Amino acid sequence: MPNILVADDSIAVRKVAERLLAEAGLKVTLAANGEEALALLGKERPDVIVSDVIMPDKSGYEVCAYVRSQSALERIPVLLISGIVNDEVTRQASACLADGVLKKPFQGTSLKDRVLELLLKRQQQAQPVDSGAANGNGLVAQAANGPKVYKISEEQVQEFRRTAAKLKEIEGALEQERSKTAQLSERLAELDRDTARIKGLEAELETERVRSAQLSERLAELDCEAARVRSLEEELRVERTKSAQLSDQVARLEQDVGRLKEIEALLAAERDRSAQTTKRAVEADRLRTRVEELDATLIAERDAASQLVQQLNVSEQMAARAANLEAALSAERHKVTELGRRLSEAEREIARGKEQVPTLSAERVAQLEQAMERVKELERALASEQGRTSQHAHRASEAEHMAQQANRRLEDMVRKLSEIAGLASQLGQSKVR
């Protein structure tokens, strides 16, 4: 099975080339750069070399020049591939004796067709110099003093061409289906703008920038011709266009993020206002309930106040009555004092009368006895008057106590009325808000 060495620093290009060549029944060996390709050439000899023109370490021109400089490798066909194919690329490919230049990305079966043509060309060129005997399949097992080559008869060539034509048709239909699938995948990829895709694009863009910078430095040192400068300017313009598109996408995403933050801030403010409104409504309900309770309390206090007023009026009447009683009491005390004085005089008179009993007449004794009765009556009246006075004094103290309680209840009522007025004011302000 022929072995094809594919050298390209883009993993996507390597995978596409491997798939296309493997479908043609060819063995494919991959190299990520020029140095790796040269290392593989030191170990094995592929039948065809496909190399990218621009790679980080050694370019495709250098790989081709190395192959042509080695006697054991100089007959191996070298196909160069490049994203830009112009006169300069064609000139340098001819200078390093490459077998052709193919433009990337590959169109249909172009890569497979070119590789098969180079294989056939190499086999035809190797037939005159092969001296070994062909086996039943038309292959020479080993040349006398040379490397292993292949010999194909004319019938096998015709069969191979017919098979290749049929394979081209099938591959064309398959390539159309793959192209449609690729277009759908590209559309889906364009719609998918998640973070992973953006990071991948940025990484790829950074890689392209590095490659462009390295390419610019190498080509500036090797060749300062105007055509190459124009091609580099074109590549730079394409990269700037891609960068501007990515910048626009990032700017749109940043605007969306900023708008999202503004919406979140407005939502938080609206939630705060709603919470404050709810809090105010709860506070208003609580104040309304408190006002209703205070209204009930006020009605009860008013009833109690009216009762207290009535009691106060009664107390005032009792106080007036107590004042009258005190005046009467003082008059009675004066009378009692006078009666006491008179009683003392009567007692003295009785004492003198007892001393003079033998000399007194019956009339005088009767007078003295009447005086004694009068004294006893005065003593009873004095005791009765003293009891009434103590009762009046007790009632007067009770009236003063009730008046003090009425004053305190009036003060409490005034304080509660002030609280009700304050709560009503707060409730009115809450309703206004």
Side-chain angles (χ1 to χ4, degrees):
M1 180 185 296
N3 183 19
I4 312 300
L5 174 61
V6 178
D8 196 300
D9 59 340
S10 173
I11 186 172
V13 175
R14 295 200 302 272
K15 292 297 182 182
V16 171
E18 182 182 19
R19 178 176 56 81
L20 293 174
L21 296 176
E23 289 174 354
L26 302 174
K27 179 183 177 182
V28 182
T29 302
L30 301 177
N33 50 58
E35 289 289 349
E36 187 175 345
L38 295 181
L40 290 173
L41 289 174
K43 298 177 182 179
E44 58 184 22
R45 295 178 184 177
D47 295 295
V48 176
I49 298 173
V50 179
S51 176
D52 186 17
V53 170
I54 301 172
M55 289 185 289
D57 44 17
K58 289 188 178 296
S59 65
Y61 305 128
E62 294 174 318
V63 172
C64 183
Y66 174 79
V67 171
R68 295 292 178 255
S69 67
Q70 303 295 318
S71 59
L73 305 174
E74 61 181 352
R75 293 182 178 276
I76 299 176
V78 178
L79 175 63
L80 299 179
I81 55 177
S82 175
I84 299 175
V85 178
N86 52 23
D87 295 339
E88 177 62 20
V89 174
T90 304
R91 184 186 67 77
Q92 294 194 37
S94 299
C96 65
L97 302 179
D99 291 276
V101 181
L102 182 62
K103 189 177 185 305
K104 296 188 300 183
F106 309 123
Q107 300 295 327
T109 60
S110 58
L111 175 64
K112 181 169 55 179
D113 294 341
R114 293 294 297 274
V115 171
L116 291 175
E117 289 176 3
L118 291 174
L119 281 173
L120 183 60
K121 179 180 178 182
R122 184 187 180 194
Q123 291 171 358
Q124 292 174 352
Q125 291 176 352
Q127 285 179 2
V129 298
D130 292 339
S131 59
N135 56 20
N137 294 326
L139 298 177
V140 177
Q142 182 70 31
N145 295 319
K148 177 181 177 181
V149 296
Y150 299 90
K151 182 178 181 182
I152 303 175
S153 63
E154 185 63 27
E155 294 178 357
Q156 290 174 335
V157 171
Q158 294 297 328
E159 182 67 22
F160 178 78
R161 287 177 178 174
R162 286 193 297 271
T163 304
K166 187 182 295 183
L167 184 61
K168 285 182 181 179
E169 294 177 359
I170 296 172
E171 288 175 349
L174 180 61
E175 191 62 30
Q176 290 179 358
E177 293 297 326
R178 287 177 178 168
S179 177
K180 292 178 181 179
T181 304
Q183 290 176 358
L184 291 175
S185 300
E186 290 176 358
R187 290 178 183 176
L188 290 175
E190 290 176 358
L191 295 176
D192 187 9
R193 295 180 179 178
D194 55 3
T195 305
R197 179 58 180 165
I198 292 175
K199 289 182 179 179
L201 290 174
E202 290 177 350
E204 187 176 353
L205 177 61
E206 187 64 27
T207 303
E208 292 297 329
R209 286 177 178 173
V210 172
R211 288 176 56 195
S212 298
Q214 293 175 350
L215 177 62
S216 299
E217 292 176 358
R218 185 177 291 110
L219 291 179
E221 293 174 356
L222 297 176
D223 200 345
C224 297
E225 294 182 1
R228 189 56 183 169
V229 173
R230 285 194 297 271
S231 66
L232 290 175
E233 289 177 350
E234 181 65 21
E235 291 181 1
L236 181 60
R237 185 187 65 78
V238 172
E239 293 297 329
R240 285 177 177 173
T241 302
K242 292 180 180 179
S243 177
Q245 292 175 354
L246 289 175
S247 299
D248 293 339
Q249 293 176 358
V250 171
R252 287 195 295 270
L253 290 175
E254 290 178 350
Q255 291 177 358
D256 293 338
V257 171
R259 190 177 304 164
L260 179 60
K261 291 180 178 179
E262 293 177 359
I263 293 172
E264 289 178 350
L266 292 175
L267 180 59
E270 193 64 29
R271 286 176 177 172
D272 292 338
R273 285 197 295 271
S274 178
Q276 292 177 359
T277 304
T278 304
K279 184 177 179 181
R280 287 176 181 173
V282 172
E283 185 67 19
D285 292 337
R286 188 183 65 80
L287 291 175
R288 189 178 297 106
T289 304
R290 180 62 177 166
V291 167
E292 291 176 355
E293 293 176 355
L294 291 175
D295 286 338
T297 305
L298 178 60
I299 293 171
E301 290 296 332
R302 284 176 178 173
D303 294 337
S306 63
Q307 293 177 3
L308 287 174
V309 170
Q310 293 176 1
Q311 292 178 2
L312 186 59
N313 293 329
V314 172
S315 298
E316 289 176 353
Q317 292 176 2
M318 291 177 67
R321 178 66 177 168
N324 295 329
L325 290 174
E326 286 178 356
L329 180 59
S330 70
E332 291 294 331
R333 285 177 179 174
H334 180 69
K335 290 180 181 180
V336 169
T337 303
E338 184 65 24
L339 288 174
R341 184 182 62 76
R342 292 173 64 184
L343 181 59
S344 298
E345 291 178 355
E347 287 178 349
R348 285 194 298 271
E349 287 291 334
I350 291 169
R352 282 196 304 270
K354 287 180 180 181
E355 291 175 354
Q356 297 175 3
V357 167
T359 61
L360 292 176
S361 63
E363 184 180 356
R364 185 63 176 169
V365 172
Q367 290 178 356
L368 289 174
E369 289 176 358
Q370 291 178 358
M372 288 296 294
E373 292 293 332
R374 180 62 178 168
V375 168
K376 291 179 181 179
E377 290 178 0
L378 289 174
E379 287 177 351
R380 287 193 297 269
L382 178 60
S384 176
E385 208 51 51
Q386 287 177 349
R388 285 197 299 272
T389 302
S390 62
Q391 290 178 358
H392 290 318
H394 179 69
R395 292 178 67 182
S397 64
E398 289 181 352
E400 290 178 355
H401 181 67
M402 292 175 66
Q404 291 176 357
Q405 288 182 347
N407 288 330
R408 284 196 296 271
R409 295 185 68 176
L410 285 174
E411 291 176 356
D412 292 338
M413 188 183 301
V414 171
R415 180 176 56 78
K416 290 180 179 179
L417 287 173
S418 299
E419 292 180 358
I420 291 171
L423 292 174
S425 177
Q426 293 179 4
L427 183 59
Q429 291 177 359
S430 299
K431 289 181 178 179
V432 170
R433 291 174 185 167

